[in-house]
Amino acid sequence: MKHVNIFDVAKETGVSATTVSRFLNGDFNKMSAATKEKIENTIKRLNYRPFSSARDLRTKNTKTIGVIVGNTSNIFSSLLFTGIYEIFQPFEYSVLLLNANNSGKEEQRGIDRLLSQRVDGFIIQPSQKKFSSYQNIIDAGTPLVMVDRETDRQPATINKVITNNYIASSEMVLELDQRNYKRIILICNIKVISAQTPRINGFVDTAKKKNICVETINVAGHTDNWFEDNLYQMIQSGSCQTALVTLMGPLLFKVLAFCKRFNLAFPRDVGLLSFDDWNWSQFVDNGIDLIEQSPLDIGRKAGINLYHNIQHDLKNMRSIDIVPAKRVYGGSL
């Protein structure tokens, strides 16, 4: 579907973009009835969304930021939003949070709604794999920062703030090798796009060099019983020292329940490592070994970058900002 902007309307009607912008903002001074009717009919025929693409011709800001995340129910989203809010609150901005429910359709509906409300900028944890899905934001001239997940073919002019997922995973393989783990089972939940993907790549690429076996179990679309039964069979099928690695915090709960069900102790029977967003697992036995990312810092950095973008202060803007993960040591490996 082609995204229509204000200049398309101007071209179709034969009037200037400024005249179309005046119409959209309700300024009909010295505008003939014929011109008004022509613009109105063209808008309807092209299915143009009023206000959504007139950003570059408006002079007033709404002092509102739109934030869209994949899932508002997890701690990542909460801390990310807190970091963003900390940046914009002193400047008296409102920050609207929308849940895409990891659905491209839901996300697009949210984008359209926020564009119609003329937000001054977007921070998005993408639920769609192709960056072209966000072209309507670019056409509207609305500043955009992407966080956490990486879309395909994202232009270098659009900033993204991410964790060093690949490097952190690669370094973890070297540590597991030193601890004599010769088998790694990665537990993920991937539907379309996820920060778990570069983590998998980091484990797989480095494990090949160390002759370590890597297997993956994706829980997306499966029940807890399916997951536990299949994971148990995988563990039983091998004889070498095995580390279970959950690639996002909520999956750690599933593995802890699994270990309880089958009376497995870590690190006696299996090693356990998890990516997580905060160190709650320090209270589990002797603590869980973690690779801990900081959604709070990701939110702060994204907020700073978006604010500078809104202010047209782009001299220090980079295409990628990386917030390093922290290795947190426990007693599970």
Side-chain angles (χ1 to χ4, degrees):
M1 177 180 177
K2 182 181 183 297
H3 296 291
V4 179
N5 60 43
I6 192 172
F7 300 104
D8 294 323
V9 176
K11 182 179 179 180
E12 287 289 319
T13 55
V15 302
S16 69
T18 302
T19 301
V20 176
S21 179
R22 285 175 50 214
F23 175 90
L24 294 172
N25 287 287
D27 179 10
F28 307 125
N29 186 34
K30 297 182 179 180
M31 187 180 298
S32 69
T35 297
K36 286 192 291 183
E37 183 178 2
K38 186 185 295 184
I39 295 173
E40 184 175 10
N41 290 338
T42 302
I43 285 173
K44 290 179 180 178
R45 179 166 54 83
L46 296 180
N47 194 28
Y48 174 76
R49 299 180 184 87
F51 301 113
S52 67
S53 297
R55 168 73 53 174
D56 54 335
L57 296 178
R58 293 193 299 107
T59 58
K60 292 183 180 180
N61 293 331
T62 60
K63 301 285 283 187
T64 303
I65 300 302
V67 177
I68 304 178
V69 297
N71 184 356
T72 55
S73 67
N74 57 45
I75 189 67
F76 178 93
S77 299
S78 177
L79 293 173
L80 178 76
F81 180 82
T82 299
I84 296 168
Y85 183 79
E86 284 181 5
I87 299 303
F88 281 99
Q89 191 273 334
F91 300 108
E92 298 183 347
Y93 275 79
S94 297
V95 184
L96 304 179
L97 177 64
L98 297 186
N99 180 25
N101 199 29
N102 290 314
S103 162
K105 290 183 179 180
E106 287 293 325
E107 184 181 61
Q108 277 300 328
R109 276 196 283 265
I111 290 171
D112 290 343
R113 190 181 317 137
L114 292 172
L115 282 173
S116 70
Q117 295 178 26
R118 297 178 289 166
V119 296
D120 292 333
F122 282 89
I123 295 176
I124 297 179
Q125 180 193 31
S127 292
Q128 301 175 85
K129 201 167 186 179
K130 296 181 179 179
F131 184 81
S132 57
S133 301
Y134 305 92
Q135 188 60 41
N136 53 342
I137 298 176
I138 308 305
D139 290 343
T142 307
L144 167 66
V145 173
M146 306 293 259
V147 296
D148 185 46
R149 303 168 178 174
E150 300 182 72
T151 57
D152 293 341
R153 298 184 180 181
Q154 179 167 324
T157 53
I158 305 299
N159 175 252
K160 61 182 172 184
V161 184
I162 58 175
T163 303
N164 61 335
N165 289 302
Y166 184 93
I167 292 176
S169 299
S170 179
E171 291 176 347
M172 196 63 227
V173 172
L174 300 180
E175 181 183 333
L176 291 172
D177 181 53
Q178 291 179 346
R179 293 173 179 264
N180 296 316
Y181 286 96
K182 295 303 177 185
R183 188 185 188 210
I184 301 171
I185 299 178
L186 303 176
I187 301 153
C188 63
N189 187 347
I190 300 176
K191 296 179 180 177
V192 178
I193 180 173
S194 175
Q196 299 164 81
T197 301
R199 295 169 187 169
I200 292 174
N201 294 337
F203 274 100
V204 170
D205 291 348
T206 309
K208 286 180 181 178
K209 301 174 184 177
K210 291 295 182 178
N211 198 29
I212 296 175
C213 174
V214 176
E215 299 171 71
T216 302
I217 180 168
N218 188 355
V219 306
H222 296 292
T223 65
D224 287 347
N225 284 337
W226 177 93
F227 161 66
E228 292 182 357
D229 292 342
N230 279 268
L231 180 57
Y232 185 75
Q233 291 176 19
M234 290 174 71
I235 292 174
Q236 292 297 101
S237 67
S239 57
C240 56
Q241 190 172 353
T242 300
L244 306 180
V245 181
T246 58
L247 296 182
M248 58 185 298
L251 295 174
L252 179 55
F253 290 103
K254 291 181 180 292
V255 172
L256 292 174
F258 162 80
C259 289
K260 182 177 181 180
R261 175 185 171 185
F262 291 100
N263 197 29
L264 297 176
F266 46 82
R268 184 195 69 197
D269 301 311
V270 290
L272 181 57
L273 170 75
S274 183
F275 281 80
D276 211 341
D277 303 319
W278 65 296
N279 190 12
W280 64 268
S281 57
Q282 63 184 302
F283 304 109
V284 178
D285 292 335
N286 294 321
I288 307 297
D289 284 86
L290 300 177
I291 299 175
E292 184 181 343
Q293 64 178 350
S294 177
L296 188 65
D297 289 338
I298 292 173
R300 289 167 176 159
K301 185 62 180 176
I304 291 170
N305 288 347
L306 183 62
Y307 181 75
H308 286 317
N309 199 332
I310 292 170
Q311 300 301 315
H312 306 291
D313 179 14
L314 306 178
K315 59 181 181 295
N316 296 318
M317 187 70 69
R318 296 181 293 184
S319 59
I320 303 175
D321 280 292
I322 296 177
V323 178
K326 181 175 66 175
R327 176 69 171 92
V328 178
Y329 292 91
S332 61
L333 285 177

